[in-house]
Amino acid sequence: MNEYDSDKMRDVLQASHCMEMTTIPEEADVLLLNTCSIREKAQEKVFSAIGRWRKIKNKRPEVIIGVGGCVASQEGAAIQKRAPYVDIVFGPQTLHRLPELLNQARETKQRIVDISFPEIEKFDALPEPRAEGPKAFVSIMEGCSKYCTFCVVPYTRGEEISRPLNDIIAEISILAEQGVREVNLLGQNVNAYQGDMGDGELAEFSVLLHYVAAVDGIDRIRFTTSHPAEYSDDIIEAFAEIPELVNHLHLPVQSGNNNILAKMKRGYTRSEYLDIMNKMKTIRPGISLSSDFIIGFPGETEKEFEDTLALIEEVGFDFSYSFIYSARPGTPAAEIEDNVSEEIKKQRLNKLKTRLNEMTMAISNSMVDTVQTVLVEGVSKKNPLQMTGRTENNRVVNFTAHPRLAGQFVDVMITEALPNSLRARIIESSVDKILQ
Ligand code: SAH
């Protein structure tokens, strides 16, 4: 989501001020930092990052420094109190106002803060999307109304708000015309989608999926992130009906223990989660399932942690994410006494990570000698003689092939599994038609 937001910041300033992106801070007229506050570590990085820009501003006082994203949303003017050389503080829902904020900062030479939640206005104010390769993110909803006790998102991004269905389909059609073949539908909680259909009716997420699949040229659909509490049967059914939906599902569980799930206010039990995963396995045999885990939620006992380990064995997860619990200011869990020592949390995290890595590697190994369909993204950065792409279960694959295959689907035979990627040999018959 943050990557998507950063791209939009670039797009609005390009449209309004003809600005070009540079990765060299010393060359920039405007320096923007997009921030994340999901865990404390990310938040701490903010001040060290902008501290480095201070020297640039000392040399060239006309340079404008802006801090956006969820840390900005949470801290507001406090950022400028600690770092007075920051000109603009803006939130995830006001990034489309950057052109105005920039003009104001330049004209008034005052410090500006705009971290309001003006709802859907943002999407209407963004310039038309531009495809960069065959894959694209498309935001379908924003914010979250679940209020899990550990999570800061509802306070920084606001409550759930869905984009109208027609706007999303129009955006995806434009991207498809520019060669996009795979879309990743983005939102904090995509399956809570309730989009206006233009006739007073609201479309559920499963309905949106059908519309997206019907767009010419779109052959792969992913979504990030969904929540188990609203992962209803119609979404599971969609996987039976829509071949464009990839054989992969990322569904964050956080914990395998009912007591912890209740304390987190997740709105589902261990068995309800397992039920979804089992249904997905029945509908899509061989599906790759992945998740997020929080280790060391306040009060988590050894037994409760063991339940998470057991859940992992029961489901069999592919590449997943795990984090040590981080108390976020203003969230209910931050008030609970945190009696699990850092040492224990680290031990638990290592144990979990080791097991998750083993499972991921076993899946990679099992793919050797199988044929996989790959969306070719372009020339490999590491080896210019090779092309790179991704499988349905989102593994990077490198193989020797004609550069003209970029943007196309090809079949490859997997020859080797490495820790972070796969090697493969192209199946010539799958490319003959494309290269004719
Ligand atoms: N909407 C998704 C979560 C997206 S946030 C859901 O509700 O499941 C990405 C991940 O960050 C979460 O799944 C969670 O594992 C982690 N996370 C969120 N808040 C956290 C916190 N306070 N401490 C540690 N990890 C956290």
Side-chain angles (χ1 to χ4, degrees):
M1 181 60 87
N2 269 26
E3 254 178 62
Y4 178 87
D5 284 353
S6 297
D7 285 350
K8 297 295 162 193
M9 291 175 200
R10 177 202 57 202
D11 292 352
V12 285
L13 290 177
Q14 201 159 46
S16 65
H17 289 72
C18 297
M19 286 195 174
E20 287 296 323
M21 259 288 266
T22 171
T23 50
I24 305 165
E26 288 71 19
E27 279 184 356
D29 302 311
V30 176
L31 289 158
L32 295 181
L33 187 71
N34 192 14
T35 63
C36 174
S37 63
I38 198 84
R39 284 174 296 279
E40 201 171 0
K41 226 179 183 168
Q43 189 157 0
E44 279 166 9
K45 288 184 191 158
V46 172
F47 290 99
S48 59
I50 49 178
R52 287 193 289 271
W53 289 350
R54 190 183 188 163
K55 291 190 204 92
I56 298 176
K57 181 126 178 149
N58 283 344
K59 268 195 210 139
R60 290 189 294 135
E62 71 281 8
V63 168
I64 297 289
I65 297 182
V67 178
C70 288
V71 176
S73 178
Q74 187 159 327
E75 302 291 324
I79 293 193
Q80 289 155 324
K81 219 167 171 187
R82 192 163 149 191
Y85 48 93
V86 171
D87 302 282
I88 307 171
V89 173
F90 60 103
Q93 308 299 17
T94 48
L95 63 90
H96 61 286
R97 293 182 179 165
L98 263 176
E100 285 163 53
L101 299 174
L102 175 61
N103 290 344
Q104 268 178 41
R106 282 178 169 166
E107 279 158 26
T108 64
K109 311 234 177 318
Q110 301 283 315
R111 288 194 283 270
I112 294 165
V113 181
D114 184 356
I115 48 169
S116 54
F117 296 154
E119 308 227 312
I120 211 77
E121 171 195 297
K122 174 168 101 181
F123 294 110
D124 293 338
L126 292 173
E128 258 191 19
R130 275 176 303 120
E132 287 162 52
K135 292 197 307 188
F137 288 123
V138 174
S139 179
I140 64 160
M141 58 83 66
E142 275 260 352
C144 187
S145 311
K146 296 286 159 298
Y147 292 94
C148 298
T149 56
F150 56 83
C151 190
V152 78
V153 166
Y155 313 99
T156 57
R157 284 197 185 255
E159 294 210 322
E160 286 156 6
I161 167 115
S162 298
R163 286 179 78 185
L165 182 101
N166 292 339
D167 291 5
I168 297 170
I169 299 305
E171 179 166 333
I172 295 177
S173 304
I174 293 170
L175 289 166
E177 277 162 23
Q178 297 174 35
V180 166
R181 310 291 302 273
E182 172 180 319
V183 286
N184 195 332
L185 307 176
L186 277 185
Q188 268 68 42
N189 193 9
V190 290
N191 47 337
Y193 180 78
Q194 292 270 319
D196 187 346
M197 295 185 80
D199 56 2
E201 297 283 309
L202 289 177
E204 302 274 321
F205 183 54
S206 60
V207 172
L208 173 70
L209 288 172
H210 281 277
Y211 275 86
V212 175
V215 175
D216 258 357
I218 299 301
D219 294 313
R220 259 188 194 177
I221 305 172
R222 302 181 189 276
F223 50 82
T224 320
T225 313
S226 46
H227 189 296
E230 280 161 333
Y231 202 84
S232 45
D233 282 345
D234 56 319
I235 301 172
I236 299 175
E237 266 314 297
F239 275 84
E241 295 159 359
I242 304 176
E244 286 86 354
L245 274 170
V246 289
N247 223 14
H248 176 223
L249 172 67
H250 182 78
L251 194 62
V253 68
Q254 315 302 359
S255 167
N257 175 271
N258 281 337
N259 182 37
I260 296 289
L261 287 173
K263 283 190 187 166
M264 289 177 165
K265 206 165 140 301
R266 290 291 286 179
Y268 55 87
T269 61
R270 174 194 174 96
S271 74
E272 281 164 347
Y273 182 83
L274 285 171
D275 197 37
I276 296 172
M277 292 316 226
N278 288 334
K279 283 183 183 163
M280 290 301 295
K281 286 180 186 172
T282 309
I283 279 204
R284 286 287 188 95
I287 189 168
S288 150
L289 299 169
S290 59
S291 198
D292 292 347
F293 301 89
I294 294 180
I295 304 308
F297 186 82
E300 184 191 62
T301 64
E302 197 61 33
K303 160 79 183 59
E304 286 165 342
F305 169 65
E306 296 285 337
D307 283 349
T308 302
L309 284 180
L311 178 100
I312 288 174
E313 298 304 326
E314 207 167 328
V315 176
F317 285 105
D318 203 352
F319 187 86
S320 294
Y321 297 89
S322 44
F323 315 97
I324 286 183
Y325 167 75
S326 166
R328 307 314 297 127
T331 59
E335 307 295 315
I336 312 175
E337 191 201 346
D338 188 358
N339 54 359
V340 188
S341 74
E342 228 23 60
E343 195 49 41
I344 298 246
K345 286 181 191 171
K346 279 190 187 146
Q347 278 172 15
R348 287 181 189 165
L349 183 73
N350 278 339
K351 203 165 170 185
L352 184 99
K353 278 204 154 141
T354 305
R355 193 60 196 117
L356 285 170
N357 286 342
E358 283 169 8
M359 288 182 155
T360 306
M361 201 59 218
I363 294 173
S364 294
N365 285 331
S366 74
M367 291 171 76
V368 173
D369 290 334
T370 66
V371 174
Q372 300 286 330
T373 301
V374 168
L375 176 56
V376 186
E377 287 169 30
V379 176
S380 154
K381 281 199 187 102
K382 282 199 191 131
N383 179 354
L385 296 174
Q386 292 220 307
M387 298 300 281
T388 190
R390 280 185 190 251
T391 58
E392 272 199 45
N393 61 3
N394 226 356
R395 278 172 172 68
V396 173
V397 187
N398 295 310
F399 49 96
T400 306
H402 199 291
R404 256 175 56 207
L405 292 175
Q408 306 286 344
F409 286 97
V410 299
D411 287 340
V412 300
M413 173 71 80
I414 307 296
T415 53
E416 195 182 347
L418 303 169
N420 296 311
S421 64
L422 303 171
R423 288 209 176 108
R425 175 164 36 81
I426 193 138
I427 295 178
E428 293 298 339
S429 59
S430 79
V431 303
D432 287 351
K433 245 196 254 139
I434 304 171
L435 290 181
Q436 258 167 25

